Structures are given as C-alpha cells and as structure tokens.
Amino acid sequence: MNTKDKFYYFDNNATTRIAPEVLEAMMPFLTDFWGNPSSAYGFGEKINQYIVKAREQLAALINAEPENIVFTSCGTESNNTAFHTALNSNPKKRHVLTTAVEHSTNIAHGKHLQRQGYQITFLPVEPDGSLDLCLLTDSIREDTAIVSVMWANNETGVVLPIEEIAAICRVRGVPFHTDAVQVAGKIPIDVQTNQVDFLSLSSHKLYAPKGTGILYIKPGTPFSPYLFGGGQEKGRRGGTENVAGIVGFGKAAEMALADIGDHSEDRKLRDKLESGLMSAIPGTVRNGAKEPRLPNTSYLAFEGVEAEAMLIGLDQLGICVSAGSACKTGAIEPSHVLTAMGIKSALAKSSIRFSLGRYNREEEVDFLLEKVPEVVKKIRAASPQTRLKELGI
Ligand SMILES: *Cc1c(COP(=O)(O)O)cnc(C)c1O
C-alpha cells in the first residue's frame, strides 16, 4: 500500500498514528542522545533524567506515584507480568479469575497456564458485554491468586465497573489487575479512586510508537519480576530501557492528560457514524451496550454480510476497519468476545468495528456514511441467498 494515497483510518483500537509532538520529543534519543541510561558518567545520567520525566508523565496520567510505574516492552508484557507475579508471589494459590472477553493476551496466557496445571476461570458476560458482579464475587476462591478484568473492551468499547470490582477484590484480599490499554486517553484513569493493584497501558494505543508499556504496581502489593537482568526498573524489570520509546510514551501521556475532557466531540463523531449507518442500512445491529462505552468505538453487525467481504470492499476504497480484534483478522472464526456475549455465529461473522481517534475528521465520517451502505448493498446483492430469493427458491 502506498501511504501517500488518501486513506480513511477507523481502526484506532488496533493502533494509533504517532503524534508529531511525540516523534519530536523522541528524535534526540534516536540521534545524539544514544547513551545507556544506566552508565555512571554524565552522558548516561543525562539520558536517565528523561526516563525519570517520562515516568512522572505516565504517573500523572493515572494519578499514581512515579516509583510505582514499571516500564515494559508492551501491553502484552504488562498483562503477562501481572499474572506471573501474582502466581509466583503466592505459589500455593493456583487459580486465576478473569473474563472470557479479555484481550487475547490474557486469553492465550490463561490457556497456557491451564496447560501447566493452573486453574483459570474465564467468566462469561451478559449479552450486552457487561459483567455480573455477583457471579464475579461468587467465583473468587480461597486459592485465587489474582483477578484480572479489562477496564474497557477493545472490540465493543464496553466499559466495566473497575472501581466496584477493585473494592470486591480488596474486601476478599485478592490482588486485582486491570488491562486499561483501551482506556488511556479516552476516559480518566485514577488509581486513587480505582484502587487496583496492577494496571497495564500500551504506548501504541496512545499516539506513541509500538513497543513500550507500563505496569502500575500499587505500593505494598507483592511483586516478583518476570524478566531478570541488569537491575533496571529497580530490579522489577530487567533489560536496557527503550529510551526513545519511553520518552515518546511520556509525551503521549502528557498530551492525553491535557486533552482528557469529556470527549464529547469524539462521541459526537462516533454517534454520527453509528446512527447514520444504522439508519441507512437495514439489518444493522450494535454489538454491546450503548453505555457505558468508550467514546470512540462502534461495533456493528450487518446482517447477511460476511465481514471478510466487507473488509475487502472497504479496503478498496481506502477504508481501514477491523473485524473484531486485530489478531483475528483473516481468521474465519467469530470473535471470542462476541461468542462470550452469546451473539449468534452468523451475526458475529458479520461484525465490523469502527474505532475513531484524534486525527479523524467529520469529512471522513461523511465519506464512510456515503460508501459503507453502498458496499453492504453490493455484497448483499451478490449473496447466494439473494439469488435464491430472486429465483423464488
Ligand atoms: C492492544 C491491546 C493489548 C496489547 O498491547 P501491545 O502493546 O500491543 O502488546 C492489550 N490489551 C488491550 C485491551 C489492547 O487493546
């Protein structure tokens, strides 16, 4: 693909464009400031100061103290570390309680742990993507090492009641982890009101490059490292720091905090797209609750339209969207999120996620409102059912 061609990027839950301000902040660390932040001489120490600053910027975004932020290589590593540390800090406890709608990082890690003899509960969700908190409470066991529930779902955008879940876990004395990757920059995060023990974020969902994450660790929570090495991150995560990535992530966090507001503009644009498509295309249903939901996400099922055919048709027009989670694209299987919500397979396979971001403009939404109905019509007209109906069969 030639990136100079006009394209319409509506897949911001998969990744985001690098903000020019972020790139600018990073550049010195890809050119002149290439030293090792652990080095004892001034050249190293100077670079280390920028990691200190980035840690403060990320701490500010979630209202934490900087010393409780550990830099990792991605959201996946942060999520994996939370499970790892809980199971290793308390080896007698061999049960993990999570949900069936988590990002594939938790699902795949949970399945791996099952093969290793751990017990993992993947809690089902309601048809609208919400979680039954009574069921969650009843599912916490004596041997539960950790509860992990994502703050907002990457496919549906449905926001889960993290403050309540954290309170339940606190009362039961079980560490609680939340994957907040999709939340950063979209709704405020405050670890003082939402007393989570662990929280994961990823750089590339927040207008910084891929390859950096954080794990917030509440003070006093037992921690056992996942990566051992040269004592970086106060011994909590070995490996020479991705300095440029960390600096960029810090800048992205600063920008997200400055712009947190109520996102009413984003919501307006998303709602224009969603209600426009739903009224223009008969047989369109929204997956997941209308609220509480991320302001940028709309996950729609177009009855009788294979998502793969949609992706191809839209791609030809330069429209980038996703059929569920990025990792599932190209696979025939329905999304595990929709399956867990009890959505019928045919409808799940007809689902397209539109996720907006900072750089989407109203003209782009207008373009989609014009083109998406045409693509749906074309695919429906070409479907065997239509032909059978025309033949009166
Ligand atoms: C993208 C994503 C991740 C993984 O983050 P990476 O940095 O790509 O490893 C984890 N959880 C959610 C909800 C995500 O959207």
Side-chain angles (χ1 to χ4, degrees), residues 13 74-76 79 103 105 150 152 154 179 181-182 202 204-205:
N13 287 8
C74 56
T76 302
N79 284 352
H103 188 266
T105 52
M150 68 196 329
N154 46 300
D179 172 348
V181 169
Q182 285 298 339
S202 168
H204 74 100
K205 308 285 172 81

Side-chain angles (χ1 to χ4, degrees), residues 20-148:
E21 298 89 337
V22 166
L23 180 64
E24 194 189 341
M26 292 172 66
M27 277 311 273
F29 303 92
L30 297 166
T31 51
D32 297 338
F33 292 82
W34 44 263
N36 188 325
S38 296
S39 298
Y41 38 82
F43 185 44
E45 176 48 33
K46 183 157 188 187
I47 287 158
N48 187 50
Q49 283 167 16
Y50 288 90
I51 296 182
V52 170
K53 182 177 166 199
R55 203 183 303 282
E56 287 166 1
Q57 289 165 320
L58 276 145
L61 180 65
I62 65 169
N63 196 21
E65 294 299 327
E67 74 234 38
N68 303 316
I69 305 285
V70 172
F71 284 112
T72 65
S73 67
C74 56
T76 302
E77 186 191 326
S78 299
N79 284 352
N80 278 214
T81 303
F83 281 18
H84 172 90
T85 194
L87 292 169
N88 279 270
S89 302
N90 209 335
K92 284 208 187 92
K93 300 200 170 181
R94 296 179 62 82
H95 175 239
V96 172
L97 179 57
T98 186
T99 79
V101 295
E102 297 298 307
H103 188 266
S104 51
T105 52
N106 270 11
I107 303 287
H109 195 196
K111 286 184 179 161
H112 169 73
L113 290 168
Q114 271 175 338
R115 288 190 293 271
Q116 299 212 310
Y118 291 96
Q119 296 195 316
I120 318 293
T121 303
F122 295 102
L123 286 176
V125 295
E126 303 296 305
D128 67 355
S130 63
L131 188 60
D132 177 348
L133 295 192
C134 294
L135 177 67
L136 174 101
T137 310
D138 292 344
S139 306
I140 297 175
R141 311 189 329 202
E142 279 299 305
D143 64 340
T144 303
I146 189 166
V147 174
S148 181

Side-chain angles (χ1 to χ4, degrees), residues 109-313:
H109 195 196
K111 286 184 179 161
H112 169 73
L113 290 168
Q114 271 175 338
R115 288 190 293 271
Q116 299 212 310
Y118 291 96
Q119 296 195 316
I120 318 293
T121 303
F122 295 102
L123 286 176
V125 295
E126 303 296 305
D128 67 355
S130 63
L131 188 60
D132 177 348
L133 295 192
C134 294
L135 177 67
L136 174 101
T137 310
D138 292 344
S139 306
I140 297 175
R141 311 189 329 202
E142 279 299 305
D143 64 340
T144 303
I146 189 166
V147 174
S148 181
V149 177
M150 68 196 329
W151 196 320
N153 187 270
N154 46 300
E155 292 189 27
T156 59
V158 168
V159 175
L160 295 173
I162 291 309
E163 191 174 342
E164 283 92 327
I165 298 170
I168 292 166
C169 293
R170 202 159 57 247
V171 170
R172 298 293 296 267
V174 183
F176 175 53
H177 164 256
T178 189
D179 172 348
V181 169
Q182 285 298 339
V183 176
K186 294 172 191 156
I187 52 179
I189 301 177
D190 185 334
V191 295
Q192 306 305 323
T193 40
N194 299 279
Q195 296 248 332
V196 300
D197 296 281
F198 300 105
L199 178 143
S200 306
L201 294 186
S202 168
S203 55
H204 74 100
K205 308 285 172 81
L206 195 64
Y207 308 98
K210 294 143 198 73
T212 315
I214 60 156
L215 181 65
Y216 159 79
I217 307 164
K218 188 174 156 188
T221 305
F223 185 78
S224 154
Y226 192 42
L227 291 187
F228 293 86
Q232 291 90 350
E233 300 297 292
K234 296 206 172 102
R236 293 171 296 183
R237 198 271 185 188
T240 302
E241 298 86 343
N242 170 7
V243 180
I246 288 171
V247 168
F249 195 11
K251 181 67 188 174
E254 182 191 280
M255 291 174 70
L257 186 62
D259 186 35
I260 199 71
D262 61 358
H263 283 271
S264 56
E265 287 304 310
D266 299 353
R267 203 177 289 274
K268 227 187 271 168
L269 217 50
R270 187 272 314 269
D271 290 347
K272 178 176 178 179
L273 177 65
E274 182 171 282
S275 57
L277 292 178
M278 289 182 84
S279 60
I281 307 169
T284 304
V285 275
R286 177 181 46 246
N287 292 314
K290 193 164 187 209
E291 291 295 337
R293 185 165 54 135
L294 294 175
N296 78 317
T297 308
S298 179
Y299 198 14
L300 300 177
F302 303 101
E303 276 171 25
V305 180
E306 287 273 346
E308 270 94 73
M310 274 290 273
L311 290 184
I312 294 166

